Amino acid sequence: MKSSARKVELASVDDLFTTEENRQDAAREKVMEIPLGELFPFPDHPFSVRDDDTMKETVESVKEYGVLMPAIARPREDGGYELVSGHRRKRACELAGLETMPVIVRDLDRDTAIIYMVDSNIQRENISPMEKAQAYKMKLDAIRRRAGRPAKENSAQVGQNFQGMTSRELLAENSPDSSSQIQRLIRLTELSPELQQMVEDKKIAVTPASELSYLKPEEQALLVETMESEQATPSLSQAQRMKKMSQSGELNEDTMLSVMSEQKKPEVDRIVLTTDTLRKYFPKSYTPKKMEETIINLLESWLKKRQRSQER
């Protein structure tokens, strides 16, 4: 009979004295209480941490129940840890007078950390257009680098990513915005700081602002001066015309003033409700079509109730 000794693999010393439970525990992520002073913000973190009413509610919750969901951080080269998610929770801990907070430390490279940071924040309510613009731009650049692509201005031309999807399609897959809206938002990062602030202050809407982003820097500076002198902001049609003039080399002080001094046509009597406006009222699983059907059904119920009330 042939010996079967060759088939026997000798266990290591660690295996001999370590139980399966110990091994599973070692592989499991650990939640650590880390001093707040050792937690640093993510570089170029695009999402604002505001001391508003929502923060007050979070502080009260932290005081009563503690931090229920650990933050995510990665080791920092200069010591301490770099927060990937949990910036608002850290601020709430500071206001609540705590010295530490629960954190899961992961060894993430910068691009993976950027993607995780954006995904964990982009679904929040009350995110301004410029915050979204900066976040999507950061994530798009990270996806490109991970895919080994050269940086190009028009991401629709960079080819296909994993599983036959473009970078912007990957962005839309994990975000509340459509692919076209993401394109418009990313264009906002090409605006001058003055025009970006106007978008932030809701003086210029996202769609015309994205058209204005195609103007040259000197043309954008001239536009800011013209808006101040005319006390007006461009409509979508005016922004589109100035974009075309810029591309054809016809945009100058005179032509810009001519466009901006035109009396805007009165708005058509209509109501526009964007997906972004309605999203907070519906479960995340609802598609735009399902949202529309629900709204119609609610309006039908309201109309019937109103008619019955009038008949009494």
Side-chain angles (χ1 to χ4, degrees):
M1 181 181 294
K2 293 183 180 181
S3 171
S4 60
R6 292 180 183 177
K7 298 180 181 180
V8 178
E9 293 184 3
L10 296 177
S12 67
V13 175
D14 287 342
D15 287 338
L16 291 172
F17 294 98
T18 304
T19 66
E20 178 63 24
E21 184 178 355
N22 293 146
R23 287 191 289 273
Q24 289 181 359
D25 185 61
R28 199 175 295 124
E29 288 185 317
K30 298 290 195 308
V31 177
M32 301 185 294
E33 284 291 333
I34 296 180
L36 300 183
E38 295 181 16
L39 297 173
F40 296 85
F42 196 91
D44 302 318
H45 189 256
F47 302 102
S48 299
V49 177
R50 305 179 182 91
D51 289 345
D52 52 14
D53 291 338
T54 303
M55 178 60 73
K56 291 178 182 177
E57 294 175 2
T58 304
V59 172
E60 292 304 314
S61 175
V62 167
K63 287 179 178 178
E64 186 170 358
Y65 305 107
V67 178
L68 301 179
M69 182 179 293
I72 304 296
R74 66 179 192 142
R76 189 166 170 265
E77 290 184 3
D78 297 331
Y81 303 91
E82 184 178 283
L83 280 174
V84 178
S85 70
H87 293 74
R88 295 184 72 256
R89 276 164 279 172
K90 181 196 174 188
R91 178 58 179 161
C93 287
E94 291 173 344
L95 295 174
L98 303 184
E99 296 183 355
T100 65
M101 71 178 289
V103 178
I104 294 174
V105 177
R106 292 178 181 169
D107 190 15
L108 304 173
D109 63 77
R110 176 163 171 77
D111 287 333
T112 302
I114 287 174
I115 293 170
Y116 189 95
M117 179 268 294
V118 173
D119 285 349
S120 63
N121 284 278
I122 202 68
Q123 298 285 352
R124 277 171 33 201
E125 297 178 9
N126 302 323
I127 300 176
S128 74
M130 287 312 309
E131 287 177 335
K132 279 189 174 184
Q134 298 293 346
Y136 282 136
K137 180 67 165 56
M138 288 179 70
K139 184 178 176 181
L140 180 60
D141 290 344
I143 290 174
R144 284 174 174 168
R145 287 192 294 267
R146 289 184 65 185
R149 299 182 190 168
K152 295 182 181 179
E153 291 185 4
N154 187 351
S155 66
Q157 298 176 354
V158 298
Q160 299 295 310
N161 201 311
F162 311 110
Q163 301 178 345
M165 298 177 69
T166 63
S167 296
R168 191 164 286 117
E169 286 171 339
L170 286 172
L171 279 172
E173 188 179 38
N174 296 312
S175 76
D177 298 295
S178 65
S179 179
S180 57
Q181 179 69 353
I182 287 172
Q183 182 178 5
R184 284 189 286 268
L185 286 164
I186 291 177
R187 282 301 314 177
L188 301 183
T189 61
E190 302 296 327
L191 290 170
S192 67
E194 292 83 3
L195 290 174
Q196 288 186 5
Q197 189 59 52
M198 290 183 183
V199 175
E200 193 78 359
D201 296 338
K202 299 182 179 180
K203 294 179 179 178
I204 305 178
V206 170
T207 303
S210 66
E211 297 293 324
L212 296 173
S213 70
Y214 291 92
L215 302 187
K216 300 178 181 66
E218 60 273 18
E219 293 170 341
Q220 292 188 28
L222 180 60
L223 176 60
V224 172
E225 294 179 6
T226 306
M227 284 192 289
E228 290 177 353
S229 65
E230 293 299 308
Q231 289 295 294
T233 56
S235 64
L236 176 58
S237 62
Q238 289 172 324
Q240 290 171 334
R241 274 184 289 158
M242 285 189 283
K243 173 185 173 182
K244 289 182 179 179
M245 288 180 178
S246 174
Q247 292 172 336
S248 63
E250 300 174 20
L251 189 61
N252 53 45
E253 187 174 355
D254 291 334
T255 55
M256 183 179 291
L257 182 60
S258 175
V259 172
M260 288 298 299
S261 61
E262 293 174 355
Q263 184 174 1
K264 294 181 183 178
K265 295 180 180 179
E267 289 286 336
V268 179
D269 189 13
R270 61 177 181 171
I271 298 174
V272 178
L273 296 175
T274 65
T275 303
D276 288 345
T277 301
L278 297 173
R279 178 60 64 187
K280 64 180 180 179
Y281 300 106
F282 294 91
K284 293 181 180 179
S285 60
Y286 272 46
T287 63
K289 181 65 176 176
K290 181 67 174 176
M291 292 164 62
E292 180 182 349
E293 291 173 354
T294 303
I295 292 171
I296 295 299
N297 289 335
L298 289 171
L299 288 174
E300 289 287 350
S301 298
W302 174 79
L303 178 60
K304 291 177 181 178
K305 183 178 179 180
R306 186 166 173 266
Q307 288 173 340
R308 288 195 299 268
S309 176
Q310 290 176 344
E311 290 172 359
R312 292 174 184 173

